[in-house]
Amino acid sequence: MDIEAIAFDVNGTLIEILTVDDMEEAFRAVGHLLTYQGIDLRRHEVRDLYFQTLSAQKRASAEQYPEFDAEEVWRAVIDTHATDFTRSLPPEKLAQLPVLLAETYRGVTRRRLKLYPYVRRVLSILHGRIPMAIVTDAQSSYARGELHAVGIRDFFEAVIVSGDHGYRKPDRRLFDMAVDALGVPAENTLYVGNDMFRDIFGGQNAGMQTMMFDSDQSTKIHGDTVPDHTITDHRQLLELLGLATGDMADW
């Protein structure tokens, strides 16, 4: 394989994650937190405002594959329902409040967060040998903290998060950003993902080589799209790159 750099998807590829986005407990927690900011909303009101504002964001977007901005969703909720008490809060607290609400919502809705087997060991072997980046459909208020929580953030030269740009995969601009950050031609960059449409189709459309990690998440068929390689175990990536060390069956 003529590979000089690698970019990875995150959720369903490196990280096994489970969230329940419509969980009542999450909207109750956010509602209680808002109480201390002078805003009184019941959990069903918080839920409806969240999903209505998120949907409105996407409808207003001119992008083919629009991405929402979680912090802007919560900022809109705050601005619409702010009281005199809310407006009297310290400016620095008000500025950080949308981030805090986004993190609170994500934290309560998250039910699982762990690496797939062998991921950390594989990345540690690749680190320093080949430049690596992340291209993920996510929110920065979620993704960067989660990468840190599972202990792999420092392996990557660049982290491209769709929520920072207003569009999501398979938009090729996200892949192009990773290629530019890595300083390697697209044809010499491997993209590893678990979704045939967003990851494999998207990576190929950007001129990258592709590898499908066949996990239990996401779309497995998209038209006649076929990845260059398919793996079910991250150790197979090292084998394909000629970087297998010792007896990996003993890991």
Side-chain angles (χ1 to χ4, degrees), residues 23 186 216:
M23 184 179 294
D216 60 352

Side-chain angles (χ1 to χ4, degrees), residues 56-67 166:
Q57 263 192 14
K58 289 187 174 182
R59 287 195 304 271
S61 174
E63 299 293 343
Q64 183 177 5
Y65 307 109
E67 181 62 280

Side-chain angles (χ1 to χ4, degrees), residues 23-248:
M23 184 179 294
E24 289 293 314
E25 290 88 341
F27 299 110
R28 180 186 291 111
V30 170
H32 288 179
L33 181 57
L34 284 171
T35 299
Y36 298 95
Q37 325 309 320
I39 297 173
D40 185 20
L41 293 170
R42 300 294 184 92
R43 66 177 182 273
H44 70 275
E45 294 175 312
V46 177
R47 180 191 61 228
D48 292 348
L49 284 166
Y50 175 77
F51 287 116
Q52 289 167 6
T53 308
L54 187 156
S55 296
Q57 263 192 14
K58 289 187 174 182
R59 287 195 304 271
S61 174
E63 299 293 343
Q64 183 177 5
Y65 307 109
E67 181 62 280
F68 75 101
D69 184 328
E71 293 177 28
E72 285 302 316
V73 169
W74 293 117
R75 185 172 287 110
V77 171
I78 295 164
D79 290 346
T80 304
H81 295 84
T83 62
D84 289 342
F85 181 91
T86 310
R87 288 183 283 271
S88 72
L89 294 172
E92 59 274 14
K93 182 178 183 179
L94 279 174
Q96 289 299 311
L97 187 53
V99 180
L100 177 61
L101 293 174
E103 292 170 345
T104 299
Y105 169 76
R106 179 68 164 191
V108 178
T109 58
R110 197 191 79 213
R111 282 293 173 262
R112 183 184 307 133
L113 180 70
K114 64 179 182 177
L115 293 175
Y116 282 102
Y118 314 114
V119 166
R120 184 178 288 104
R121 182 81 173 268
V122 168
L123 293 177
S124 66
I125 290 172
L126 294 174
H127 186 56
R129 288 184 170 92
I130 186 165
M132 296 184 290
I134 288 292
V135 180
T136 181
D137 285 342
Q139 301 293 309
S140 280
S141 52
Y142 310 161
R144 298 179 190 278
E146 289 167 358
L147 286 168
H148 173 76
V150 296
I152 62 173
R153 171 60 186 89
D154 292 342
F155 288 127
F156 304 102
E157 276 74 17
V159 176
I160 312 300
V161 181
S162 62
D164 293 338
H165 303 285
Y167 46 85
R168 62 192 342 240
K169 295 179 293 184
D171 195 303
R172 70 167 294 162
R173 289 174 290 180
L174 297 169
F175 299 93
D176 290 343
M177 289 177 204
V179 169
D180 291 344
L182 293 169
V184 173
E187 60 267 25
N188 298 120
T189 302
L190 177 68
Y191 189 75
V192 183
N194 71 306
D195 188 283
M196 195 67 74
F197 176 54
R198 294 189 297 161
D199 296 324
I200 306 306
F201 172 77
Q204 290 178 352
N205 190 49
M208 305 166 84
Q209 299 184 48
T210 57
M211 175 178 283
M212 179 81 164
F213 174 60
D214 193 8
S215 70
D216 60 352
Q217 299 183 27
S218 300
T219 303
K220 303 303 179 186
I221 298 173
H222 176 68
D224 58 358
T225 301
V226 178
D228 297 297
H229 301 276
T230 299
I231 61 173
T232 57
D233 182 318
H234 285 86
R235 293 174 294 183
Q236 294 171 282
L237 174 56
L238 296 180
E239 294 172 351
L240 287 166
L241 293 170
L243 294 174
T245 58
D247 188 355
M248 292 192 295

